[in-house]
Amino acid sequence: MSKSSPNSSAASGKASEISLSSDEIRRLCEFLYRRTGMTFGESKRYYIERRVADRMSAAEMRTFPAYFSYLQTSESEVEHLINIFTVNETYFYREEHQLHCLGRSLLPDIVRNRKPGDLVRIWSVPCSTGEEPYSVAIWLLENWPMVDAYHIEIVGSDIDTEALLKAQEGVYGERALSRLPSHVIDRYFEPPRDDQRRLIRDLRESVKFTSVNLVDDASVAAQGRFDVVFCRNVLIYFDDGSRERTANNLYDALNPGGYLCLGHTESMSRISKRFRLRRFEDAIVYQRPEGS
């Protein structure tokens, strides 16, 4: 990569020509941390510079100081910057064992004291481009006999607004669909077009999508409370402070007795003692105790 002088002047205006000083890296990472809870540093210099260069080019900014000043006054640019730094790696039926657990253990426990027609809320956060909340909807339709007996509300949330737009569009390629049985694809997706398939309208309308910042208390509280929360593979990007704050927000987002499902490399036991660890046949999950 061709670099300019350490004062980060992008003289040519090309997105590929930018070099940030250590102080500029620090300032940007602190800014991102305050806004998202995500931690970056000098070890991610190449990753950071490429993304900042892209945004500087799009905003027609020739120097990092000018761009950083622009960030202080433009919420839309902050949104673009956050979007470009988020990771959207997902596919349908990812960590399928948790879906088995949802249908065989979690939901039967949740509805045991509820009447037919009562509301059951399930939250996928971060939901990326929608594969996870749509997987929940498809799985329940295919595998949970009581799905029509209750009012199931599925919400998908993410900080990446561009990912949310793609989720609402509901168009996916071969890789995203690779773990779905062919009969499920044919049942819930429109015929292929340009090697992609779109979810049928009923499925697209079965999931509500919202923007949320997990480290922002008010943002999480605005979503209401849920019976099951899937929050997978996001805590690994946070430091201890952001993890603890997110854990508290997720705890408050659960109804008493509600369940939290994390990624297979994540453990709430090392972050918060407020949750009860539950071992089921298909998965280990965390529960907000009844009466808490």
Side-chain angles (χ1 to χ4, degrees):
M1 179 173 68
S2 175
K3 294 185 177 181
S4 61
S5 62
N7 67 4
S8 79
S9 172
S12 71
K14 294 182 179 179
S16 61
E17 297 184 0
I18 178 177
S19 176
L20 303 180
S21 69
S22 294
D23 182 62
E24 288 168 341
I25 291 282
R26 178 189 59 77
R27 290 166 62 201
L28 182 71
C29 291
E30 287 178 353
F31 179 84
L32 284 169
Y33 177 76
R34 290 195 303 271
R35 297 302 293 260
T36 70
M38 295 186 294
T39 57
F40 299 95
E42 187 70 35
S43 63
K44 299 286 188 180
R45 169 176 287 274
Y46 180 73
Y47 179 90
I48 294 167
E49 287 181 336
R50 285 291 299 272
R51 282 153 181 76
V52 171
D54 286 344
R55 288 312 312 158
M56 284 177 58
S57 177
E60 300 183 344
M61 295 287 169
R62 296 176 62 83
T63 68
F64 177 79
Y67 177 70
F68 196 71
S69 295
Y70 179 52
L71 280 176
Q72 315 307 311
T73 61
S74 173
E75 278 299 313
S76 63
E77 181 56 32
V78 172
E79 183 177 299
H80 287 308
L81 183 70
I82 290 173
N83 288 351
I84 206 171
F85 269 88
T86 54
V87 178
N88 295 309
E89 175 65 22
T90 187
Y91 44 84
F92 282 87
Y93 279 15
R94 188 178 188 182
E95 301 200 33
E96 189 175 343
H97 63 285
Q98 289 186 346
L99 296 174
H100 284 277
C101 187
L102 176 68
R104 286 202 282 231
S105 302
L106 306 188
L107 288 177
D109 181 56
I110 287 166
V111 302
R112 58 189 164 86
N113 293 320
R114 299 191 187 179
K115 303 184 299 295
D118 281 354
L119 177 66
V120 176
R121 300 191 78 216
I122 301 173
W123 193 23
S124 168
V125 57
C127 70
S128 185
T129 46
E131 289 91 332
E132 183 174 291
Y134 286 135
S135 289
V136 171
I138 292 172
W139 180 268
L140 294 181
L141 287 168
E142 288 289 296
N143 299 282
W144 194 44
M146 302 299 292
V147 65
D148 291 325
Y150 299 92
H151 177 198
I152 309 294
E153 180 181 345
I154 302 173
V155 179
S157 303
D158 205 286
I159 196 172
D160 186 337
T161 54
E162 292 181 5
L164 290 173
L165 290 175
K166 292 179 180 178
Q168 291 170 319
E169 186 66 17
V171 177
Y172 301 98
E174 181 178 345
R175 185 181 184 283
L177 303 175
S178 61
R179 295 200 176 188
L180 288 179
S182 58
H183 71 276
V184 170
I185 295 175
D186 290 339
R187 185 172 299 154
Y188 297 106
F189 290 81
E190 297 173 358
R193 182 175 181 181
D194 297 328
D195 296 322
Q196 293 187 314
R197 300 191 70 155
R198 190 181 193 192
L199 278 162
I200 59 174
R201 180 184 295 273
D202 284 351
L203 251 295
R204 298 199 309 272
E205 294 179 348
S206 72
V207 178
K208 174 185 176 183
F209 290 99
T210 65
S211 177
V212 75
N213 184 344
L214 280 170
V215 297
D216 184 277
D217 303 4
S219 178
V220 175
Q223 310 306 312
R225 284 194 172 178
F226 297 87
D227 298 295
V228 181
V229 174
F230 290 90
C231 183
R232 305 190 294 202
N233 306 310
V234 65
L235 297 178
I236 55 176
Y237 296 102
F238 291 171
D239 68 357
D240 289 345
S242 295
R243 290 190 190 105
E244 183 176 358
R245 186 166 189 174
T246 297
N248 288 331
N249 285 338
L250 291 173
Y251 184 91
D252 292 340
L254 282 169
N255 286 318
Y259 293 97
L260 171 65
C261 301
L262 298 179
H264 71 278
T265 64
E266 299 169 313
S267 171
M268 185 56 70
S269 302
R270 296 193 292 266
I271 303 170
S272 171
K273 302 302 182 185
R274 302 179 73 187
F275 294 87
R276 176 188 176 194
L277 187 146
R278 298 291 307 275
R279 298 179 184 271
F280 291 102
E281 177 184 354
D282 300 295
I284 294 174
V285 302
Y286 300 89
Q287 185 180 29
R288 174 172 175 167
E290 295 275 3
S292 66

PDB file of all heavy atoms in Angstrom, residues 220-251:
ATOM      1  N   VAL A 220     -30.974  -0.006  24.208  1.00  0.00           N
ATOM      2  CA  VAL A 220     -31.417  -1.363  24.509  1.00  0.00           C
ATOM      3  C   VAL A 220     -32.787  -1.338  25.196  1.00  0.00           C
ATOM      4  O   VAL A 220     -33.685  -2.114  24.854  1.00  0.00           O
ATOM      5  CB  VAL A 220     -30.384  -2.092  25.392  1.00  0.00           C
ATOM      6  CG1 VAL A 220     -30.906  -3.466  25.813  1.00  0.00           C
ATOM      7  CG2 VAL A 220     -29.065  -2.236  24.642  1.00  0.00           C
ATOM      8  N   ALA A 221     -32.966  -0.432  26.149  1.00  0.00           N
ATOM      9  CA  ALA A 221     -34.232  -0.364  26.883  1.00  0.00           C
ATOM     10  C   ALA A 221     -35.408  -0.089  25.953  1.00  0.00           C
ATOM     11  O   ALA A 221     -36.532  -0.553  26.202  1.00  0.00           O
ATOM     12  CB  ALA A 221     -34.142   0.713  27.964  1.00  0.00           C
ATOM     13  N   ALA A 222     -35.161   0.642  24.873  1.00  0.00           N
ATOM     14  CA  ALA A 222     -36.233   0.989  23.931  1.00  0.00           C
ATOM     15  C   ALA A 222     -36.798  -0.236  23.212  1.00  0.00           C
ATOM     16  O   ALA A 222     -37.895  -0.159  22.645  1.00  0.00           O
ATOM     17  CB  ALA A 222     -35.720   1.994  22.910  1.00  0.00           C
ATOM     18  N   GLN A 223     -36.075  -1.348  23.240  1.00  0.00           N
ATOM     19  CA  GLN A 223     -36.542  -2.549  22.541  1.00  0.00           C
ATOM     20  C   GLN A 223     -37.571  -3.324  23.355  1.00  0.00           C
ATOM     21  O   GLN A 223     -38.217  -4.230  22.839  1.00  0.00           O
ATOM     22  CB  GLN A 223     -35.353  -3.481  22.225  1.00  0.00           C
ATOM     23  CG  GLN A 223     -34.171  -2.810  21.557  1.00  0.00           C
ATOM     24  CD  GLN A 223     -34.555  -2.064  20.305  1.00  0.00           C
ATOM     25  OE1 GLN A 223     -35.275  -2.605  19.446  1.00  0.00           O
ATOM     26  NE2 GLN A 223     -34.086  -0.836  20.174  1.00  0.00           N
ATOM     27  N   GLY A 224     -37.721  -2.982  24.638  1.00  0.00           N
ATOM     28  CA  GLY A 224     -38.632  -3.734  25.498  1.00  0.00           C
ATOM     29  C   GLY A 224     -37.967  -4.983  26.041  1.00  0.00           C
ATOM     30  O   GLY A 224     -36.757  -5.145  25.970  1.00  0.00           O
ATOM     31  N   ARG A 225     -38.783  -5.884  26.567  1.00  0.00           N
ATOM     32  CA  ARG A 225     -38.254  -7.105  27.176  1.00  0.00           C
ATOM     33  C   ARG A 225     -38.579  -8.333  26.332  1.00  0.00           C
ATOM     34  O   ARG A 225     -39.583  -8.368  25.621  1.00  0.00           O
ATOM     35  CB  ARG A 225     -38.808  -7.289  28.586  1.00  0.00           C
ATOM     36  CG  ARG A 225     -38.157  -6.362  29.603  1.00  0.00           C
ATOM     37  CD  ARG A 225     -38.483  -6.807  31.006  1.00  0.00           C
ATOM     38  NE  ARG A 225     -37.717  -6.043  31.988  1.00  0.00           N
ATOM     39  CZ  ARG A 225     -37.836  -6.205  33.289  1.00  0.00           C
ATOM     40  NH1 ARG A 225     -38.689  -7.098  33.761  1.00  0.00           N
ATOM     41  NH2 ARG A 225     -37.111  -5.480  34.122  1.00  0.00           N
ATOM     42  N   PHE A 226     -37.712  -9.337  26.479  1.00  0.00           N
ATOM     43  CA  PHE A 226     -37.807 -10.535  25.648  1.00  0.00           C
ATOM     44  C   PHE A 226     -37.762 -11.788  26.505  1.00  0.00           C
ATOM     45  O   PHE A 226     -37.283 -11.783  27.639  1.00  0.00           O
ATOM     46  CB  PHE A 226     -36.657 -10.564  24.638  1.00  0.00           C
ATOM     47  CG  PHE A 226     -36.680  -9.433  23.658  1.00  0.00           C
ATOM     48  CD1 PHE A 226     -36.071  -8.220  23.960  1.00  0.00           C
ATOM     49  CD2 PHE A 226     -37.320  -9.559  22.442  1.00  0.00           C
ATOM     50  CE1 PHE A 226     -36.097  -7.158  23.063  1.00  0.00           C
ATOM     51  CE2 PHE A 226     -37.357  -8.505  21.533  1.00  0.00           C
ATOM     52  CZ  PHE A 226     -36.746  -7.309  21.848  1.00  0.00           C
ATOM     53  N   ASP A 227     -38.246 -12.885  25.907  1.00  0.00           N
ATOM     54  CA  ASP A 227     -38.195 -14.186  26.570  1.00  0.00           C
ATOM     55  C   ASP A 227     -36.922 -14.952  26.220  1.00  0.00           C
ATOM     56  O   ASP A 227     -36.416 -15.721  27.032  1.00  0.00           O
ATOM     57  CB  ASP A 227     -39.420 -15.015  26.178  1.00  0.00           C
ATOM     58  CG  ASP A 227     -40.712 -14.357  26.629  1.00  0.00           C
ATOM     59  OD1 ASP A 227     -40.914 -14.241  27.852  1.00  0.00           O
ATOM     60  OD2 ASP A 227     -41.498 -13.932  25.757  1.00  0.00           O
ATOM     61  N   VAL A 228     -36.429 -14.758  25.011  1.00  0.00           N
ATOM     62  CA  VAL A 228     -35.179 -15.383  24.573  1.00  0.00           C
ATOM     63  C   VAL A 228     -34.382 -14.354  23.799  1.00  0.00           C
ATOM     64  O   VAL A 228     -34.932 -13.645  22.940  1.00  0.00           O
ATOM     65  CB  VAL A 228     -35.434 -16.621  23.674  1.00  0.00           C
ATOM     66  CG1 VAL A 228     -34.105 -17.263  23.260  1.00  0.00           C
ATOM     67  CG2 VAL A 228     -36.303 -17.641  24.378  1.00  0.00           C
ATOM     68  N   VAL A 229     -33.090 -14.276  24.108  1.00  0.00           N
ATOM     69  CA  VAL A 229     -32.190 -13.376  23.387  1.00  0.00           C
ATOM     70  C   VAL A 229     -31.030 -14.186  22.815  1.00  0.00           C
ATOM     71  O   VAL A 229     -30.372 -14.932  23.545  1.00  0.00           O
ATOM     72  CB  VAL A 229     -31.636 -12.262  24.301  1.00  0.00           C
ATOM     73  CG1 VAL A 229     -30.585 -11.433  23.551  1.00  0.00           C
ATOM     74  CG2 VAL A 229     -32.757 -11.368  24.797  1.00  0.00           C
ATOM     75  N   PHE A 230     -30.798 -14.053  21.519  1.00  0.00           N
ATOM     76  CA  PHE A 230     -29.608 -14.597  20.877  1.00  0.00           C
ATOM     77  C   PHE A 230     -28.628 -13.439  20.695  1.00  0.00           C
ATOM     78  O   PHE A 230     -28.905 -12.498  19.939  1.00  0.00           O
ATOM     79  CB  PHE A 230     -29.945 -15.198  19.514  1.00  0.00           C
ATOM     80  CG  PHE A 230     -30.752 -16.462  19.582  1.00  0.00           C
ATOM     81  CD1 PHE A 230     -32.144 -16.424  19.584  1.00  0.00           C
ATOM     82  CD2 PHE A 230     -30.126 -17.699  19.649  1.00  0.00           C
ATOM     83  CE1 PHE A 230     -32.895 -17.582  19.645  1.00  0.00           C
ATOM     84  CE2 PHE A 230     -30.866 -18.874  19.715  1.00  0.00           C
ATOM     85  CZ  PHE A 230     -32.253 -18.812  19.717  1.00  0.00           C
ATOM     86  N   CYS A 231     -27.514 -13.501  21.401  1.00  0.00           N
ATOM     87  CA  CYS A 231     -26.480 -12.465  21.278  1.00  0.00           C
ATOM     88  C   CYS A 231     -25.151 -13.177  21.091  1.00  0.00           C
ATOM     89  O   CYS A 231     -24.416 -13.437  22.047  1.00  0.00           O
ATOM     90  CB  CYS A 231     -26.461 -11.573  22.519  1.00  0.00           C
ATOM     91  SG  CYS A 231     -25.268 -10.211  22.406  1.00  0.00           S
ATOM     92  N   ARG A 232     -24.837 -13.501  19.855  1.00  0.00           N
ATOM     93  CA  ARG A 232     -23.723 -14.394  19.575  1.00  0.00           C
ATOM     94  C   ARG A 232     -22.584 -13.668  18.857  1.00  0.00           C
ATOM     95  O   ARG A 232     -22.799 -12.910  17.915  1.00  0.00           O
ATOM     96  CB  ARG A 232     -24.208 -15.582  18.736  1.00  0.00           C
ATOM     97  CG  ARG A 232     -25.371 -16.308  19.425  1.00  0.00           C
ATOM     98  CD  ARG A 232     -25.737 -17.622  18.780  1.00  0.00           C
ATOM     99  NE  ARG A 232     -26.276 -17.477  17.430  1.00  0.00           N
ATOM    100  CZ  ARG A 232     -27.043 -18.389  16.842  1.00  0.00           C
ATOM    101  NH1 ARG A 232     -27.390 -19.478  17.497  1.00  0.00           N
ATOM    102  NH2 ARG A 232     -27.473 -18.215  15.617  1.00  0.00           N
ATOM    103  N   ASN A 233     -21.383 -13.941  19.343  1.00  0.00           N
ATOM    104  CA  ASN A 233     -20.157 -13.515  18.676  1.00  0.00           C
ATOM    105  C   ASN A 233     -20.030 -12.001  18.533  1.00  0.00           C
ATOM    106  O   ASN A 233     -19.558 -11.502  17.511  1.00  0.00           O
ATOM    107  CB  ASN A 233     -20.060 -14.184  17.295  1.00  0.00           C
ATOM    108  CG  ASN A 233     -20.184 -15.696  17.377  1.00  0.00           C
ATOM    109  OD1 ASN A 233     -19.493 -16.324  18.167  1.00  0.00           O
ATOM    110  ND2 ASN A 233     -21.084 -16.262  16.592  1.00  0.00           N
ATOM    111  N   VAL A 234     -20.447 -11.272  19.571  1.00  0.00           N
ATOM    112  CA  VAL A 234     -20.211  -9.838  19.602  1.00  0.00           C
ATOM    113  C   VAL A 234     -19.362  -9.445  20.810  1.00  0.00           C
ATOM    114  O   VAL A 234     -18.530  -8.544  20.730  1.00  0.00           O
ATOM    115  CB  VAL A 234     -21.540  -9.043  19.587  1.00  0.00           C
ATOM    116  CG1 VAL A 234     -22.336  -9.303  20.836  1.00  0.00           C
ATOM    117  CG2 VAL A 234     -21.267  -7.548  19.438  1.00  0.00           C
ATOM    118  N   LEU A 235     -19.519 -10.152  21.932  1.00  0.00           N
ATOM    119  CA  LEU A 235     -18.766  -9.817  23.135  1.00  0.00           C
ATOM    120  C   LEU A 235     -17.265  -9.994  22.936  1.00  0.00           C
ATOM    121  O   LEU A 235     -16.468  -9.365  23.632  1.00  0.00           O
ATOM    122  CB  LEU A 235     -19.242 -10.683  24.307  1.00  0.00           C
ATOM    123  CG  LEU A 235     -20.698 -10.485  24.731  1.00  0.00           C
ATOM    124  CD1 LEU A 235     -21.044 -11.433  25.875  1.00  0.00           C
ATOM    125  CD2 LEU A 235     -20.963  -9.045  25.139  1.00  0.00           C
ATOM    126  N   ILE A 236     -16.873 -10.826  21.980  1.00  0.00           N
ATOM    127  CA  ILE A 236     -15.447 -11.037  21.719  1.00  0.00           C
ATOM    128  C   ILE A 236     -14.785  -9.778  21.167  1.00  0.00           C
ATOM    129  O   ILE A 236     -13.554  -9.671  21.196  1.00  0.00           O
ATOM    130  CB  ILE A 236     -15.227 -12.211  20.737  1.00  0.00           C
ATOM    131  CG1 ILE A 236     -16.012 -11.996  19.438  1.00  0.00           C
ATOM    132  CG2 ILE A 236     -15.616 -13.532  21.379  1.00  0.00           C
ATOM    133  CD1 ILE A 236     -15.768 -13.070  18.383  1.00  0.00           C
ATOM    134  N   TYR A 237     -15.563  -8.828  20.677  1.00  0.00           N
ATOM    135  CA  TYR A 237     -15.007  -7.579  20.147  1.00  0.00           C
ATOM    136  C   TYR A 237     -14.949  -6.480  21.204  1.00  0.00           C
ATOM    137  O   TYR A 237     -14.467  -5.384  20.924  1.00  0.00           O
ATOM    138  CB  TYR A 237     -15.840  -7.096  18.953  1.00  0.00           C
ATOM    139  CG  TYR A 237     -15.802  -8.041  17.778  1.00  0.00           C
ATOM    140  CD1 TYR A 237     -16.872  -8.906  17.519  1.00  0.00           C
ATOM    141  CD2 TYR A 237     -14.692  -8.099  16.942  1.00  0.00           C
ATOM    142  CE1 TYR A 237     -16.838  -9.780  16.459  1.00  0.00           C
ATOM    143  CE2 TYR A 237     -14.651  -8.982  15.875  1.00  0.00           C
ATOM    144  CZ  TYR A 237     -15.718  -9.818  15.637  1.00  0.00           C
ATOM    145  OH  TYR A 237     -15.684 -10.701  14.582  1.00  0.00           O
ATOM    146  N   PHE A 238     -15.438  -6.766  22.418  1.00  0.00           N
ATOM    147  CA  PHE A 238     -15.514  -5.764  23.477  1.00  0.00           C
ATOM    148  C   PHE A 238     -14.410  -5.974  24.507  1.00  0.00           C
ATOM    149  O   PHE A 238     -13.897  -7.085  24.660  1.00  0.00           O
ATOM    150  CB  PHE A 238     -16.865  -5.845  24.187  1.00  0.00           C
ATOM    151  CG  PHE A 238     -18.049  -5.407  23.361  1.00  0.00           C
ATOM    152  CD1 PHE A 238     -19.337  -5.601  23.820  1.00  0.00           C
ATOM    153  CD2 PHE A 238     -17.875  -4.808  22.127  1.00  0.00           C
ATOM    154  CE1 PHE A 238     -20.438  -5.197  23.083  1.00  0.00           C
ATOM    155  CE2 PHE A 238     -18.961  -4.396  21.374  1.00  0.00           C
ATOM    156  CZ  PHE A 238     -20.247  -4.591  21.852  1.00  0.00           C
ATOM    157  N   ASP A 239     -14.087  -4.911  25.239  1.00  0.00           N
ATOM    158  CA  ASP A 239     -13.201  -5.050  26.388  1.00  0.00           C
ATOM    159  C   ASP A 239     -14.048  -5.359  27.618  1.00  0.00           C
ATOM    160  O   ASP A 239     -15.279  -5.465  27.538  1.00  0.00           O
ATOM    161  CB  ASP A 239     -12.327  -3.812  26.581  1.00  0.00           C
ATOM    162  CG  ASP A 239     -13.120  -2.574  26.995  1.00  0.00           C
ATOM    163  OD1 ASP A 239     -14.367  -2.650  27.090  1.00  0.00           O
ATOM    164  OD2 ASP A 239     -12.498  -1.527  27.229  1.00  0.00           O
ATOM    165  N   ASP A 240     -13.397  -5.511  28.771  1.00  0.00           N
ATOM    166  CA  ASP A 240     -14.115  -5.928  29.974  1.00  0.00           C
ATOM    167  C   ASP A 240     -15.222  -4.948  30.352  1.00  0.00           C
ATOM    168  O   ASP A 240     -16.316  -5.361  30.748  1.00  0.00           O
ATOM    169  CB  ASP A 240     -13.140  -6.082  31.144  1.00  0.00           C
ATOM    170  CG  ASP A 240     -12.230  -7.287  30.978  1.00  0.00           C
ATOM    171  OD1 ASP A 240     -12.525  -8.152  30.134  1.00  0.00           O
ATOM    172  OD2 ASP A 240     -11.198  -7.355  31.686  1.00  0.00           O
ATOM    173  N   GLY A 241     -14.943  -3.643  30.237  1.00  0.00           N
ATOM    174  CA  GLY A 241     -15.942  -2.645  30.594  1.00  0.00           C
ATOM    175  C   GLY A 241     -17.168  -2.719  29.707  1.00  0.00           C
ATOM    176  O   GLY A 241     -18.312  -2.662  30.191  1.00  0.00           O
ATOM    177  N   SER A 242     -16.963  -2.842  28.399  1.00  0.00           N
ATOM    178  CA  SER A 242     -18.088  -2.923  27.459  1.00  0.00           C
ATOM    179  C   SER A 242     -18.860  -4.222  27.633  1.00  0.00           C
ATOM    180  O   SER A 242     -20.088  -4.254  27.505  1.00  0.00           O
ATOM    181  CB  SER A 242     -17.586  -2.806  26.020  1.00  0.00           C
ATOM    182  OG  SER A 242     -17.036  -1.532  25.779  1.00  0.00           O
ATOM    183  N   ARG A 243     -18.140  -5.307  27.928  1.00  0.00           N
ATOM    184  CA  ARG A 243     -18.821  -6.590  28.157  1.00  0.00           C
ATOM    185  C   ARG A 243     -19.735  -6.505  29.374  1.00  0.00           C
ATOM    186  O   ARG A 243     -20.872  -6.993  29.350  1.00  0.00           O
ATOM    187  CB  ARG A 243     -17.800  -7.710  28.347  1.00  0.00           C
ATOM    188  CG  ARG A 243     -17.040  -8.095  27.098  1.00  0.00           C
ATOM    189  CD  ARG A 243     -16.227  -9.349  27.304  1.00  0.00           C
ATOM    190  NE  ARG A 243     -15.329  -9.573  26.179  1.00  0.00           N
ATOM    191  CZ  ARG A 243     -14.025  -9.365  26.200  1.00  0.00           C
ATOM    192  NH1 ARG A 243     -13.444  -8.947  27.318  1.00  0.00           N
ATOM    193  NH2 ARG A 243     -13.283  -9.578  25.140  1.00  0.00           N
ATOM    194  N   GLU A 244     -19.233  -5.907  30.440  1.00  0.00           N
ATOM    195  CA  GLU A 244     -20.042  -5.815  31.652  1.00  0.00           C
ATOM    196  C   GLU A 244     -21.281  -4.950  31.426  1.00  0.00           C
ATOM    197  O   GLU A 244     -22.385  -5.290  31.860  1.00  0.00           O
ATOM    198  CB  GLU A 244     -19.209  -5.251  32.800  1.00  0.00           C
ATOM    199  CG  GLU A 244     -19.961  -5.203  34.120  1.00  0.00           C
ATOM    200  CD  GLU A 244     -19.107  -4.723  35.278  1.00  0.00           C
ATOM    201  OE1 GLU A 244     -17.899  -4.462  35.074  1.00  0.00           O
ATOM    202  OE2 GLU A 244     -19.652  -4.587  36.388  1.00  0.00           O
ATOM    203  N   ARG A 245     -21.109  -3.851  30.725  1.00  0.00           N
ATOM    204  CA  ARG A 245     -22.243  -2.976  30.459  1.00  0.00           C
ATOM    205  C   ARG A 245     -23.259  -3.678  29.559  1.00  0.00           C
ATOM    206  O   ARG A 245     -24.474  -3.592  29.789  1.00  0.00           O
ATOM    207  CB  ARG A 245     -21.757  -1.686  29.804  1.00  0.00           C
ATOM    208  CG  ARG A 245     -22.860  -0.647  29.620  1.00  0.00           C
ATOM    209  CD  ARG A 245     -22.282   0.703  29.283  1.00  0.00           C
ATOM    210  NE  ARG A 245     -23.305   1.734  29.308  1.00  0.00           N
ATOM    211  CZ  ARG A 245     -23.055   3.030  29.153  1.00  0.00           C
ATOM    212  NH1 ARG A 245     -21.804   3.442  28.976  1.00  0.00           N
ATOM    213  NH2 ARG A 245     -24.033   3.909  29.183  1.00  0.00           N
ATOM    214  N   THR A 246     -22.769  -4.381  28.548  1.00  0.00           N
ATOM    215  CA  THR A 246     -23.663  -5.120  27.664  1.00  0.00           C
ATOM    216  C   THR A 246     -24.397  -6.217  28.425  1.00  0.00           C
ATOM    217  O   THR A 246     -25.607  -6.429  28.226  1.00  0.00           O
ATOM    218  CB  THR A 246     -22.875  -5.737  26.498  1.00  0.00           C
ATOM    219  OG1 THR A 246     -22.285  -4.680  25.720  1.00  0.00           O
ATOM    220  CG2 THR A 246     -23.765  -6.579  25.603  1.00  0.00           C
ATOM    221  N   ALA A 247     -23.689  -6.917  29.311  1.00  0.00           N
ATOM    222  CA  ALA A 247     -24.314  -7.971  30.104  1.00  0.00           C
ATOM    223  C   ALA A 247     -25.453  -7.415  30.946  1.00  0.00           C
ATOM    224  O   ALA A 247     -26.542  -8.013  31.023  1.00  0.00           O
ATOM    225  CB  ALA A 247     -23.278  -8.648  30.998  1.00  0.00           C
ATOM    226  N   ASN A 248     -25.229  -6.270  31.562  1.00  0.00           N
ATOM    227  CA  ASN A 248     -26.283  -5.651  32.368  1.00  0.00           C
ATOM    228  C   ASN A 248     -27.471  -5.246  31.504  1.00  0.00           C
ATOM    229  O   ASN A 248     -28.637  -5.399  31.907  1.00  0.00           O
ATOM    230  CB  ASN A 248     -25.729  -4.446  33.120  1.00  0.00           C
ATOM    231  CG  ASN A 248     -24.802  -4.842  34.248  1.00  0.00           C
ATOM    232  OD1 ASN A 248     -24.949  -5.914  34.834  1.00  0.00           O
ATOM    233  ND2 ASN A 248     -23.840  -3.995  34.567  1.00  0.00           N
ATOM    234  N   ASN A 249     -27.184  -4.713  30.315  1.00  0.00           N
ATOM    235  CA  ASN A 249     -28.270  -4.316  29.417  1.00  0.00           C
ATOM    236  C   ASN A 249     -29.068  -5.534  28.947  1.00  0.00           C
ATOM    237  O   ASN A 249     -30.307  -5.483  28.837  1.00  0.00           O
ATOM    238  CB  ASN A 249     -27.714  -3.551  28.219  1.00  0.00           C
ATOM    239  CG  ASN A 249     -27.311  -2.131  28.582  1.00  0.00           C
ATOM    240  OD1 ASN A 249     -27.783  -1.573  29.568  1.00  0.00           O
ATOM    241  ND2 ASN A 249     -26.433  -1.541  27.791  1.00  0.00           N
ATOM    242  N   LEU A 250     -28.369  -6.636  28.650  1.00  0.00           N
ATOM    243  CA  LEU A 250     -29.057  -7.852  28.212  1.00  0.00           C
ATOM    244  C   LEU A 250     -29.883  -8.452  29.350  1.00  0.00           C
ATOM    245  O   LEU A 250     -30.981  -8.960  29.125  1.00  0.00           O
ATOM    246  CB  LEU A 250     -28.036  -8.869  27.698  1.00  0.00           C
ATOM    247  CG  LEU A 250     -27.340  -8.509  26.385  1.00  0.00           C
ATOM    248  CD1 LEU A 250     -26.238  -9.517  26.081  1.00  0.00           C
ATOM    249  CD2 LEU A 250     -28.332  -8.446  25.229  1.00  0.00           C
ATOM    250  N   TYR A 251     -29.361  -8.394  30.538  1.00  0.00           N
ATOM    251  CA  TYR A 251     -30.104  -8.878  31.709  1.00  0.00           C
ATOM    252  C   TYR A 251     -31.414  -8.097  31.848  1.00  0.00           C
ATOM    253  O   TYR A 251     -32.493  -8.680  32.044  1.00  0.00           O
ATOM    254  CB  TYR A 251     -29.247  -8.712  32.960  1.00  0.00           C
ATOM    255  CG  TYR A 251     -29.866  -9.255  34.228  1.00  0.00           C
ATOM    256  CD1 TYR A 251     -29.628 -10.565  34.625  1.00  0.00           C
ATOM    257  CD2 TYR A 251     -30.677  -8.458  35.025  1.00  0.00           C
ATOM    258  CE1 TYR A 251     -30.192 -11.066  35.793  1.00  0.00           C
ATOM    259  CE2 TYR A 251     -31.247  -8.957  36.191  1.00  0.00           C
ATOM    260  CZ  TYR A 251     -30.998 -10.258  36.567  1.00  0.00           C
ATOM    261  OH  TYR A 251     -31.561 -10.752  37.725  1.00  0.00           O
TER     262      TYR A 251
END
